[in-house]
Amino acid sequence: MSAATFVNLPVADLDRAVEFFTALGFTARPRQPGADSAQLTLGDSTHLILHTPAAFAAFAGAGVCDTATSREVIVGLGVDRRDRVDALVDVAVLAGGTSLGPGQDLGFMYMRGFRDLDGHQWSFLHLPG
């Protein structure tokens, strides 16, 4: 089965969130002025849909999670080189995100995490070999 992945997240400031993820290498698709959502693409099959909180709640049929006190999901993105993991988290921090500390070498995988502007948890990881 070949499938695309669509990650949907609520964000407080849609324009600022689009800028943040564009700095990480996502490509923003054009959107209508005043739109409540924005679609970004990373690669051929990974898409990120950002929504205002009201649009997300309407889409999900439930309230928005408080990222200061809980995690609904951790999004992990694989990269082709170990040094790229640290470089991308450093870019995320420069763009306003928060590092979750140094990278972790688990032998079979190297990863490092960060929180985006809205507190959603992400990690970049490299699986050697």
Side-chain angles (χ1 to χ4, degrees):
M1 169 172 59
S2 176
T5 301
F6 293 85
V7 176
N8 290 263
L9 295 174
V11 296
D13 184 328
L14 195 55
D15 292 330
R16 191 164 172 239
V18 168
E19 288 177 20
F20 177 84
F21 286 103
T22 300
L24 290 175
F26 283 78
T27 302
R29 296 188 66 187
R31 62 185 163 111
Q32 298 295 322
D36 291 336
S37 300
Q39 181 176 344
L40 296 98
T41 302
L42 182 65
D44 294 331
S45 62
T46 304
H47 307 275
L48 177 60
I49 315 296
L50 303 173
H51 305 274
T52 63
F56 183 86
F59 183 71
V64 173
C65 174
D66 179 358
T67 59
T69 59
S70 43
R71 300 281 166 257
E72 192 168 77
V73 67
I74 299 172
V75 180
L77 300 173
V79 297
D80 59 348
R81 297 184 330 266
R82 178 183 169 129
D83 63 325
R84 192 111 166 89
V85 169
D86 291 317
L88 285 165
V89 173
D90 290 344
V91 168
V93 170
L94 286 173
T98 304
S99 173
L100 296 178
Q104 297 177 327
D105 188 341
L106 304 174
F108 67 94
M109 172 179 66
Y110 178 74
M111 64 181 243
R112 186 172 166 207
F114 69 95
R115 290 202 178 99
D116 67 20
L117 302 175
D118 293 278
H120 304 293
Q121 190 164 326
W122 294 77
S123 60
F124 285 107
L125 51 101
H126 172 67
L127 301 165

